[in-house]
Amino acid sequence: MDSRLKETWESCVKCGICRSVCPVFKEEKSEPYVARGHITLLSELVSGNVDFSEYEAKDYLYKCLLCTTCVEACPNNSETDTIVEIARHEVIKHHGLPLYKKIMAILLKDRALMDFAFRNATLFSSFLFKRNDDSSRASLKTKFETPIMEKGRLIPKLTKKTFLQKYKDYSDNYGYLSLFPGCLINYTYTEIGDAFVNILKKLDISFRVPQKQLCCGAPVYFAGNFEDAAILARKNIDLFSRVNSRYIIVMEPTCASMIKNDYPKLFMYLEDKEYEKKARDLAKKVLDPVKFLYDNTDILDRLKHLDMKTTYHDPCHLKRAQNIKDEPRAFIKKASNFTEMKEADRCCGNGGTFSIDYRETSLKIASRKVEHIENSKADYLVTGCSACIMQLSEILHRHEDDHIKTIHTLELIDMALDGGNNEG
Amino acid sequence: MLKKRAYEKLKRIFKDRCFLDKLGRVQYSYDATQKMYLPDIVVLPTTTEEVSKIMKIAHRYEIPVVPKGWGSGFTGGALNIDGGIALSLEKMDKIVEFDEDNLMVWVEAGVVNYDLQEFLKPYDLMFPPDPSSWKFSTIGGNIAENAGGPRAVKYGVTKDWIKALEIVLPNGTVLNVGSKNIKDVAGYDIVDLMIGSEGTLAVITKALLRLYPLPEHKRTMEIVFDDMEFAAKMVSNIIKNKIIPTSIEFVDKDAILAVEDALKVGLCKDADAILMIEIDGSLCEVEEGVKKIEDICKNSQGVMSYRVAKDEKEADEIWLARRSISPTLKRIADGKLNEDIVVPITKLAQMIKKTQEIAKKYDLPIVSFGHAGDGNIHTNIMYHTNDKDETKRAYKAMDEVFDVCLSLGGSITGEHGVGITKQDYLEKQVGSDAINLYRAIKKAFDPKNILNPGKMRL
Ligand SMILES: Cc1cc2nc3c(=O)[nH]c(=O)nc-3n(C[C@H](O)[C@H](O)[C@H](O)COP(=O)(O)OP(=O)(O)OC[C@H]3O[C@@H](n4cnc5c(N)ncnc54)[C@H](O)[C@@H]3O)c2cc1C
Ligand code: SF4
Ligand code: SF4
């Protein structure tokens, strides 16, 4: 294995500092669910001292949010997220991929199939879910118990027209920006994408929405399926390397972090030097939308002050993976009455499939945020990631805090650019 | 065979709070020494009764039991060197009774030191022992190792703040020792005997801790030296002038470079050594202390510069840098013989000078930092583990450091304990009569020698 990757776990000195910050450990209180434990397992696996199938290792390997809170706190920057991903991959390499993960990979690799699946889900949604408009964010409530979701769980409503389809006309023309919405904005939270498009139009910034883009691959990569992740990565790299835009705006922080940080690591692992280089070149053009607006436009000065009480939640993949924390706050402070909540950067506990596999733990982790959100007295919880919005609006609903609306930073910016009472 | 039956029994009782699978056991096979010994079984009790149950089974089947806190120990005390049961107490993490009127608190052994401090803060109280590992070590572990922290200069170590304990003896008997009384001389002082016993005499399940008001004011100073010997001299100079700071921490050149590389907090990279000092108390006490130290700085040799942290954030950065040194040393070399020798404060300068000579003689980096205010210096001999010659030289250098330390009237360990890593040096310091007495005491508590055997020459 590439020595640069080996360093990510050989640097661990087993001090235990990660125990004091890991959100999963806080709930589980046992060593298999913390960075130090994950790291030990992988190094034992690689050195051949233990061998395990996915089945026995499941909890030990999958009960990690990949939130990188431990990486931030670790004095040696041991990269637990990378380590866990590699460990998951090592297991798959030896024992193969379970069926449902194979199906997921097939879907993600094919836009038409993916669209088909979602169209059908939309059709059936009235049967499976009931509308839930009184929650913190419009959503659907599951009517039945299913293997992956309990009854009463809130999920975002599916859009009739995906983001890509909506902006089909913008596919081939030249654009200063190329937009990469990511699956959640494409299929469910299209309105967040719309907000950004509105802003761009108001600012007269040209953009395009390349239609051939695929899922960034994070869901398969996080599951340790590096081969399929690499197929998706190569296709996206090829597509976006050809695009002649100045920036590629990746709206979901998880996708942005995947493309910027994980593509190069993935090809490093696969020892594909050509694509490692391409990935690094592409990474230079990838930008979060809020960060783009902050760095490259004068929109901050143009925002009006709205009479809204707000607070902000730092998404892991925005703050820790991309070091973006001050920019959104600058906008929110300008546009509203902002109160910083305690532990704003505590992980919301979503963690992608983690919230399905470990529902109870995921909700416990999210619940720890509720008190801080309530104490901020905000009416609007602002954040910059769809997965966080999904998780936080649900947990607020469960705590009967539906009056606190969960919105995206882009939506707030869009609102403040539209109207407001101009006092700020 | 018999053992197997005992393990099956434990698995039946503790279910998912018990690991028999290799993967689960691997994760309880190490501590901060980075050595690994696989336990046969891991059990995570939540109550004293459960601990007692485990001990009874272990006692009956004569199985070694190793109590564990958060595994941040530096001497291997929490390692199952002979297999057996890893009895890990992280799930016993409740604050049992907060007695604000008597300024005391009963806690379970698995409460993390820092979590307790956070609990106490709104009441303007603190538990004075503050090991650098306070965010990731337990009160049980602190007691078992008699941990000390930067504040020890003024407030003493763990031993000075424990009033009573609930312990489980190796045969499963639950015993309460000590009391809330400020004065109590009835019988042998078992509480004190338990402190620093490294999990060899009994399992601590609860502790009654004495608390102290949080100081009203605090000030942090940083003094930069161009020669580390002068830094060491400054320490005894401060104490001699009857100033008792909360902490005086010493950081040498290599440690400065390693931690600055990791954290980038703006420590002076040209320095040969830095002293970090905290003074607490009333505003006037604090101001007077700072002024006196500033005066000493003006009249001392070797001082390149000094500053008083202008706000809490600056002070926090200085202390974060100090607390982070130990794990960052891996940047220098992968092998580290991590000693925590202690000498009388007046001998500190001599000790540091000798250490530098030893480093030169064996041609190895020796990084020194630590709680200079109480004479406790962490001496880290760095070497590359894949280099046989370097490894040999490192161990020789360590022998010499210990010899010098003992010849100056010091001790081979100030706070990390003996465990397995220092047991070969223990007799040299305390003598064989003392070791025999230890063994007799151990036998009185644990005739079958099942509790943490093979540690501390026991
Ligand atoms: C980065 C770093 C900095 C450190 N700084 C300091 C410092 O400033 N000062 C200091 O004193 N130490 C320090 N240490 C060492 C260590 O943190 C302390 O020894 C701490 O008290 C160990 O607590 P633990 O809960 O991790 O115990 P563990 O490591 O799990 O166990 C340590 C010993 O205590 C015994 N034990 C634990 N719990 C119990 C119990 N309930 N009943 C009976 N026996 C028990 C174990 O058997 C073992 O022998 C540091 C360690 C690290 C990694
Ligand atoms: S991952 Fe980092 S914080 Fe955790 S034990 Fe290893 S070195 Fe310490
Ligand atoms: S990535 Fe997050 S969940 Fe995983 S070990 Fe680190 S802190 Fe814990």
Side-chain angles (χ1 to χ4, degrees), chain A residues 180-192:
Chain A
F180 185 102
C183 297
L184 271 175
I185 288 183
N186 190 39
Y187 290 108
T188 67
Y189 292 125
T190 319
E191 64 273 19
I192 295 171

Side-chain angles (χ1 to χ4, degrees), chain B residues 47-180:
Chain B
T47 61
T48 306
E49 293 68 45
E50 287 187 348
V51 174
S52 163
K53 218 179 258 174
I54 298 166
M55 288 318 303
K56 277 184 186 144
I57 294 174
H59 191 251
R60 179 161 156 219
Y61 292 94
E62 301 196 20
I63 301 168
V65 177
V66 179
K68 248 173 131 67
W70 267 33
S72 71
F74 267 146
T75 48
L79 300 175
N80 284 68
I81 53 172
D82 290 326
I85 302 169
L87 190 162
S88 195
L89 290 138
E90 61 259 80
K91 285 183 189 282
M92 291 188 62
D93 58 355
K94 279 168 249 359
I95 289 167
V96 182
E97 183 207 331
F98 174 44
D99 184 349
E100 206 182 343
D101 298 341
N102 279 310
L103 295 188
M104 285 183 204
V105 65
W106 267 110
V107 299
E108 288 184 338
V111 167
V112 170
N113 182 308
Y114 189 80
D115 293 345
L116 174 65
Q117 312 285 2
E118 287 286 292
F119 170 83
L120 295 171
K121 225 186 240 165
Y123 305 96
D124 283 328
L125 289 170
M126 64 172 177
F127 174 57
D130 62 337
S132 297
S133 52
W134 63 350
K135 287 192 178 167
F136 47 96
S137 66
T138 63
I139 296 294
N142 292 166
I143 297 172
E145 298 286 8
N146 192 5
R151 289 201 284 242
V153 185
K154 182 166 177 181
Y155 295 100
V157 295
T158 304
K159 169 166 82 85
D160 303 304
W161 299 92
I162 311 296
K163 288 304 298 173
L165 295 172
E166 179 192 79
I167 56 178
V168 179
L169 297 177
N171 65 8
T173 309
V174 180
L175 193 66
N176 277 288
V177 290
S179 72
K180 260 189 199 170

Side-chain angles (χ1 to χ4, degrees), chain A residues 10-20 25-34 36-38 40-41 44 49-53 56-57 60 75-77 342, chain B residues 19 21-24 26-36 44 69-72 88 90-91 93 110 115 135-136 262-263 323-324 326-331:
Chain A
E10 286 179 347
S11 62
C12 170
V13 295
K14 300 203 164 38
C15 61
I17 288 178
C18 43
R19 270 190 165 214
S20 65
F25 180 80
K26 196 174 177 79
E27 308 306 333
E28 300 299 328
K29 283 273 170 88
S30 96
E31 188 78 6
Y33 312 116
V34 72
R36 186 170 63 169
H38 301 317
T40 308
L41 268 195
E44 289 297 281
N49 294 338
V50 295
D51 171 32
F52 43 81
S53 67
E56 9 165 12
Y60 299 152
N76 291 322
N77 310 326
K342 253 178 95 183
Chain B
F19 303 112
D21 59 315
K22 187 160 180 199
L23 302 187
V26 162
Q27 316 206 47
Y28 282 87
S29 66
Y30 49 79
D31 66 2
T33 56
Q34 302 182 56
K35 296 181 194 306
M36 286 176 89
L44 311 175
W70 267 33
S72 71
S88 195
E90 61 259 80
K91 285 183 189 282
D93 58 355
D115 293 345
K135 287 192 178 167
F136 47 96
L263 298 180
R323 288 181 193 275
S324 308
S326 166
T328 57
L329 295 185
K330 189 126 185 189
R331 285 151 207 264

Side-chain angles (χ1 to χ4, degrees), chain A residues 21-24 33-35 38 64-71 80-81:
Chain A
V21 297
C22 172
V24 178
Y33 312 116
V34 72
H38 301 317
C64 164
L65 291 156
L66 304 174
C67 66
T68 64
T69 313
C70 53
V71 183
T80 313
D81 50 334

Side-chain angles (χ1 to χ4, degrees), chain B residues 379-392:
Chain B
T379 311
N380 296 271
I381 305 167
M382 310 301 300
Y383 64 102
H384 294 92
T385 46
N386 58 8
D387 184 330
K388 280 213 179 92
D389 186 53
E390 263 192 29
T391 311
K392 218 161 90 196

